Amino acid sequence: MRAVIRRRLAGVRDDRGSVLVAAVAVAIVGVMLALTVVGSVIVATRSSGKDRARSTEVHAAEGIVDHVYADLETATPCRWPATGSASAGTTPSRVTGNATIAYFDKDGKALTCASGAVTGGTAATAVVTATAKEGDGSTRTMQSKVALTPSVITGRGAAIFAANSIMTTNSFTVTTALPDTAVDVWVDSGDVDCNSGVTVNGNLIVVSGGGVRISGACRVTGNLWSKKDVEISQAHTGGLQSVGQSLFATANARMNSGVKIGQDVVLTGALTQWGPIQVGGAIRTGVGAAQIPQYIKKGLPEVTYRPSDWVGFANTGDRQAAYRTWVRANAAANGAPSWASSMNASGTQCTVAGASYDLNGPLVGPTVPTVFDTRNCATTQFENGLNIRLRSDMVIFANSFYSTGNFRVTSADGAQHKFWIIVPDKNPNGVAECAGGIGNIKGDSGSLAVAPITVFMYTPCTIDTNNDTQIHGQLYGGTVNLRNPVTINYVPIGIPGVDLPSTDPVGNAGYRVDVVYKREIGTP
């Protein structure tokens, strides 16, 4: 047995070197695998770093675009920031950026933007281009197109213009007779105390000299703008919004519990709340004056007696005599008694009544547009059911005017006609003045102008309406008193030869911003 074992052992060769070679081979394979893993990690890290840098730049540029959106709600920036670049982050590396804003009108025409002011038209769209730059010089650019809607309704001419003050009370209503036509009530100076069922279906603009006080069932369905303090001392008794759109004031505001505002409250001063209020938009206080619309005093336009301005009207010769002849002719046609004052050939016809004891019927207007002058009368007075039946446009220039007893202006042929009652300024110096013996326009009862008749009343003194008066047209006066069930249906007709002041703001309150698109583009 021993001999067999020795022979077997003697025949076995030494293989210890092969184990070493195998070990070395395994080590080499391990190193190669490690190098592969390390290489993959490096590639992944570099790729991740690039993606992170790209994401940082893109997010920074997008954040700049969003910042411009916010600025567009209150201003018209041309660039953000105005100079240089803003820091958009420092981790994982420093990123800076800026944006440019290009404006276009509704037809796509490029507008000029300089120092925060857009000129050459009204901005309807804007393109915001924001570029973010990392420390190594790499950049990414985001671009967005937005549609711009002015946050304040622009003026289209005032339904009521009060140069000094306005009084509204007891179910007075101003509204519009035309679809898609905004209504503006403009108070150039003085306080406004709105109460007792007053409704302004439009905008109330109080430019200087006073503030606005709202109580009871007073309601402004559009925007309210006030130079001075606004106080809403009582929520609308019907649970409605006291202001249907936005309230702007370059002053403070005070509101009682339960007051409702449809959109924003924007104040240069502070807001005091006597309990919870409901605001449909944002409340911004302590803002700069440039961030809300800016209105300035316009002054009541001066209107003088210039018949030549009334082109196409019968406007030559003695217009006072023409008026008296017209009244007498109608009295005769109506079968008025011979002793009636309207029949008096030597009379002034300053007072005309529709009753049987005087005119005994209507005043039918001429068939052509006509200018009449009654300034020889201390007061031109129409009373007791007098009905002027128009067949064409007519203007009466009076020293003062008074109507009572259901005075009406109607259409004789069913067509639309215009009627002006004008107390002209006697001193043509460019400034409307209640002086020189001129006076007021006052209506005590009845429907003054029945559709489709539109009327324009003008006096540098006082317009005073009472007792269920209905008017389609415009009122321009030094002081305007509107009380009892009075309804003004706004129809803009103007005055020939006179430029009525625009009710547009001189500054812009910014825009409602609607995003059309936002995308990454190649860096310009």
Side-chain angles (χ1 to χ4, degrees), residues 200 202 219-224 240-247 260-264:
V200 177
R219 186 176 185 225
V220 178
T221 64
N223 295 299
L224 167 61
L240 301 174
Q241 296 166 341
S242 296
V243 179
Q245 295 185 21
S246 293
L247 186 157
K260 298 178 181 179
I261 308 295
Q263 295 182 9
D264 299 335

Side-chain angles (χ1 to χ4, degrees), residues 123-269:
T125 60
V127 174
V128 183
T129 304
T131 299
K133 182 178 181 180
E134 205 167 358
D136 63 359
S138 61
T139 61
R140 293 284 176 173
T141 299
M142 294 293 294
Q143 187 177 82
S144 177
K145 180 178 180 180
V146 294
L148 303 177
T149 303
S151 60
V152 177
I153 298 175
T154 57
R156 296 182 178 95
I160 300 171
F161 187 107
N164 303 320
S165 64
I166 189 169
M167 182 182 73
T168 59
T169 189
N170 294 344
S171 300
F172 160 74
T173 299
V174 59
T175 186
T176 179
L178 301 177
D180 303 320
T181 299
V183 173
D184 291 323
V185 174
W186 180 286
V187 182
D188 219 36
S189 180
D191 295 329
V192 173
D193 188 352
C194 186
N195 58 71
S196 305
V198 173
T199 300
V200 177
N201 284 319
N203 308 310
L204 175 60
I205 304 166
V206 184
V207 181
S208 67
V212 178
R213 304 291 179 270
I214 292 178
S215 61
C218 173
R219 186 176 185 225
V220 178
T221 64
N223 295 299
L224 167 61
W225 190 96
S226 177
K227 179 71 173 179
K228 293 191 175 180
D229 287 3
V230 174
E231 180 177 305
I232 306 179
S233 61
Q234 182 181 1
H236 195 286
T237 54
L240 301 174
Q241 296 166 341
S242 296
V243 179
Q245 295 185 21
S246 293
L247 186 157
F248 302 95
T250 55
N252 302 312
R254 298 176 294 277
M255 300 184 195
N256 214 332
S257 177
V259 168
K260 298 178 181 179
I261 308 295
Q263 295 182 9
D264 299 335
V265 175
V266 186
L267 310 169
T268 61

Side-chain angles (χ1 to χ4, degrees), residues 342-389:
S342 61
M343 290 284 288
N344 188 349
S346 60
T348 60
Q349 282 73 42
C350 291
T351 299
V352 181
S356 59
Y357 63 81
D358 189 27
L359 190 65
N360 196 37
L363 275 173
V364 179
T367 57
V368 298
T370 302
V371 174
F372 285 135
D373 181 9
T374 65
R375 291 177 301 146
N376 59 299
C377 305
T379 299
T380 301
Q381 183 166 323
F382 293 154
E383 61 185 24
N384 288 356
L386 179 63
N387 180 9
I388 295 180
R389 303 185 66 213

Side-chain angles (χ1 to χ4, degrees), residues 303-305 310 371-375 395-399 422 424:
V303 180
T304 59
Y305 180 68
W310 298 78
V371 174
F372 285 135
D373 181 9
T374 65
R375 291 177 301 146
V395 55
I396 295 177
F397 284 93
N399 197 60
I422 296 177

